[in-house]
Amino acid sequence: MDIGRAISEARPRVVAALAARLRDLDQAEEAFAEASAAAVPAWRAQPPRDPAAWLWRAAWRRALDAKRRASVRQRLAPDDPEPAPSPEDELIAANEPIPDERLRLIFVCCHPAIAADSRAALTLKLICGLSTDRLARAFLMAEPAMLQKITRAKRKIRDAGVPFEVPSRDLWPERLEAVLATLEIAYAQAYEDAALSAEGAPFAQEVLRLSGLLAELMPQEGEVLGLAALVRFAEARRPARLDATGAMVPPSEQDMDLWRGDLIGEGARLLDAAANLGRTGPRQLLAAIHALHLSRRETGVTPWSEIVELYEALTLFRPDAVTAVNRAVAVGEARGARAGLAALDAVAGLARLTGWLPYQAARAGLCERAGLKGDAAAAYHAALALGPAPAERLYLERRLARLG
């Protein structure tokens, strides 16, 4: 049993359930951490049948014990007898299933009282269990600054008395963009890891499930449908993203027979439904880009010029470095590596991007194709120094070795 992975996979549901019951984010995290510490020796001796249920019961019991001790200390009556079993104790004894409170906690973290740039980080921390340093890298900022951001957001929820509940439907629109942004960032963390071997591994299935749930709840929101389509298209290629040795395989070299037709069909239906609403947004464009990559299964070729056009349309919604780097890669495929490098060199804020792995990987690939071996090697070394996941590391090492 991989204890670390089991704990990581159980975390989103258990922490969300604890937070919903305790109405306190810090207490929920502390209780889960204590339960996880207890799980390691216990599971080595006897692996549980249901790790999430084990952690839920253990964490909830520790949280109740902590509240009981705090209550006793407050009353200054340490010799009082133990209180009678509470309804929560009876719930634990009855072995009830873990309540699924993840969607509720996402809406709490995306409350308008929280600073807009803190909502996604807080949700990723609580729902997905992303470490602070990983969050800092995802948001291209320093780790201490990210820690301060998360701490301030938690304090705001406590001080503002943000209710732990899914808001009424008339309040959904004001939180929807933050919710979608959070799910998109969470999925991006999983997508960067083809083998799903790192701490972002649970995000892929979690975002697949949550995006589908939102699409059912809000079928008239084009961007909700667009995100659900985007995730399904990307996950459709998951089985083809590794070769037999465990190395990452880029989209243009993947075995199309391994792509999942069921997810492609679901994504196409969602994207068509979004298009019928007539309100194009960035997630619909990203889903359309994925759809064009998948169209190779029907035509045998990737329509790179159309992909460049979609990235240029996406720039109108998202004039950021991430879009610019992805567009440069597409330009390199459509018009040649030198054109791609020129597009990459034109990206604003290049100094900040040097610590971003996708940028260094893109630069390395374009330099290699342009015959600039020295520049390619330097970029591959820079990418490897940024700590890629195992599958991506193996791919980059092979490309570097191929330069000779």
Side-chain angles (χ1 to χ4, degrees), residues 2 29 38 75 88 93 120 124 153 164 188 216 242 310 314 329 395:
D2 186 336
E29 287 194 298
R75 295 198 307 267
E88 288 81 5
L124 291 169
F164 280 72
E216 289 179 11
L242 293 179
L310 285 180
L314 182 62
V329 172
Y395 169 78

Side-chain angles (χ1 to χ4, degrees), residues 194 234-243 254-255 258-260 263:
E235 282 303 293
R237 290 194 283 103
R238 178 76 64 185
R241 293 188 63 194
L242 293 179
D243 67 13
Q254 291 172 2
D255 181 352
L258 297 177
W259 290 350
R260 287 183 54 181
L263 288 178

Side-chain angles (χ1 to χ4, degrees), residues 43-57:
W43 292 4
R44 282 178 182 152
Q46 183 176 2
R49 186 173 57 184
D50 185 341
W54 193 102
L55 286 166
W56 159 244
R57 288 193 293 274

Side-chain angles (χ1 to χ4, degrees), residues 83-290:
S86 67
E88 288 81 5
D89 294 321
E90 294 172 1
L91 171 70
I92 293 171
N95 198 19
E96 293 260 342
I98 312 169
D100 193 342
E101 306 285 6
R102 285 168 285 189
L103 189 59
R104 177 175 7 183
L105 190 53
I106 289 176
F107 272 102
V108 170
C109 295
C110 294
H111 191 280
I114 311 301
D117 62 348
S118 298
R119 296 169 188 162
L122 180 62
T123 308
L124 291 169
K125 174 74 173 173
L126 293 174
I127 297 292
C128 303
L130 219 60
S131 62
T132 305
D133 70 316
R134 179 77 185 273
L135 279 170
R137 279 184 275 130
F139 286 83
L140 299 177
M141 63 189 303
E143 185 175 346
M146 175 55 70
L147 181 59
Q148 288 181 356
K149 181 188 291 288
I150 292 171
T151 302
R152 282 197 301 268
K154 286 182 180 177
R155 188 182 304 131
K156 185 69 177 180
I157 287 177
R158 184 192 62 208
D159 295 345
V162 173
F164 280 72
E165 61 187 22
V166 175
S168 58
R169 284 184 178 249
D170 60 312
L171 296 177
W172 284 16
E174 66 179 358
R175 301 193 202 181
L176 187 56
E177 176 55 33
V179 170
L180 293 178
T182 298
L183 293 178
E184 191 176 348
I185 294 171
Y187 184 72
Q189 300 302 305
Y191 190 75
E192 288 180 4
D193 179 9
L196 292 178
S197 59
E199 60 179 328
F203 304 171
Q205 287 302 309
E206 187 65 14
V207 177
L208 186 71
R209 189 189 73 82
L210 289 172
S211 64
L213 176 60
L214 285 175
E216 289 179 11
L217 293 172
M218 290 177 267
Q220 297 304 311
E221 293 288 345
E223 282 296 273
V224 170
L225 302 179
L227 177 64
L230 162 63
V231 174
R232 277 148 185 79
F233 285 148
E235 282 303 293
R237 290 194 283 103
R238 178 76 64 185
R241 293 188 63 194
L242 293 179
D243 67 13
T245 67
M248 184 271 287
V249 181
S252 59
E253 299 174 15
Q254 291 172 2
D255 181 352
M256 295 176 287
D257 290 338
L258 297 177
W259 290 350
R260 287 183 54 181
D262 59 334
L263 288 178
I264 294 173
E266 284 183 33
R269 284 191 292 276
L270 287 162
L271 190 55
D272 286 344
N276 289 334
L277 295 173
R279 299 189 297 274
T280 301
R283 296 174 186 89
Q284 295 170 63
L285 290 172
L286 283 168
I289 289 170
H290 277 277

